[in-house]
Amino acid sequence: MYATFEPKLIYFGLPPAGSELIERWLHDVLDDTQNANLVLTRGERVIGHAALLHYPATPGVREIAIFVHQDHRSRGIGRRLFLAAMHHGCHDLGLGRVWLWVNRRNVRGLRLYSSVGFVATEDSRLEPEIVMHRSMSCRRCREDECPVFTSDLARQL
């Protein structure tokens, strides 16, 4: 997927350009057992990847990153993949908070993230990339019936 993914290097050099850099990056992301990765395929082709990235200095907090191949965008796939990753982070990993980077020109991404409770941090409002975060600690989320990230989302993919 990443060999033909566009645009490359859009957010902090991700996804990387060139097969060697892609392989090294994926090795780092996929081989760290503390990271959670959801990979969406159609047939044998990978069309989407969501990762909950672990940083040892911040236990209970993960960065979420999502990539959907351009041939499969504008179909709701990215939204469902994102929500499935959030559901996994809340219910299966018991995360307290998730954060992400988003370019302020990414209106669709900003709309999605805001619609599920992400808010921009004060210190990132002047940068081209905005840091957004969301608490995962709501009481209803910890019960079987999650009001935002339902378990049906994973099955819809």
Side-chain angles (χ1 to χ4, degrees), residues 134-149:
R134 183 192 193 280
S135 171
M136 302 287 275
S137 301
C138 67
R139 195 170 129 218
R140 292 190 312 170
C141 256
R142 297 292 179 199
E143 297 171 6
D144 290 335
E145 286 288 324
C146 177
V148 179
F149 312 112

Side-chain angles (χ1 to χ4, degrees), residues 82-84 86-88 90-91 116 118 134-136 141 146-153:
F82 178 77
L83 294 176
M86 292 293 292
H87 179 264
H88 177 66
C90 181
H91 285 276
V116 295
F118 278 78
R134 183 192 193 280
S135 171
M136 302 287 275
C141 256
C146 177
V148 179
F149 312 112
T150 66
S151 59
D152 291 337
L153 287 167

Side-chain angles (χ1 to χ4, degrees), residues 9 12 14 20 24-26 35-36 46 72 81 83 97-98 111 113 143 150 154:
L9 308 170
F12 300 100
L14 295 177
E20 187 177 314
R24 195 173 329 154
W25 173 64
L26 285 175
N35 291 337
V46 173
H72 299 276
L81 181 59
L83 294 176
R97 189 166 58 92
V98 175
R111 205 173 312 136
Y113 307 140
E143 297 171 6
T150 66

Side-chain angles (χ1 to χ4, degrees), residues 84-103:
M86 292 293 292
H87 179 264
H88 177 66
C90 181
H91 285 276
D92 301 330
L93 302 177
L95 299 178
R97 189 166 58 92
V98 175
W99 66 276
L100 55 83
W101 288 98
V102 60
N103 188 290

Side-chain angles (χ1 to χ4, degrees), residues 27 31 55 98 104 112 136-137 143:
H27 173 75
D31 287 354
Y55 297 96
V98 175
R104 69 176 57 256
L112 167 62
M136 302 287 275
S137 301
E143 297 171 6

Side-chain angles (χ1 to χ4, degrees), residues 1-2 5 10-12 14-16 25-26 29-30 35-40 48-55 61-68 77-79 81-86 95 98-102 106 112-113 118 132:
M1 176 181 97
Y2 289 111
F5 188 96
I10 191 73
Y11 299 113
F12 300 100
L14 295 177
W25 173 64
L26 285 175
V29 171
L30 298 174
N35 291 337
N37 291 280
L38 285 80
V39 176
L40 182 59
H49 175 211
L52 291 162
L53 304 168
H54 169 262
Y55 297 96
V61 177
R62 301 279 176 100
E63 176 185 5
I64 187 168
I66 183 165
F67 301 91
V68 176
I77 292 169
R79 179 182 179 82
L81 181 59
F82 178 77
L83 294 176
M86 292 293 292
L95 299 178
V98 175
W99 66 276
L100 55 83
W101 288 98
V102 60
N106 183 350
L112 167 62
Y113 307 140
F118 278 78
M132 298 183 82

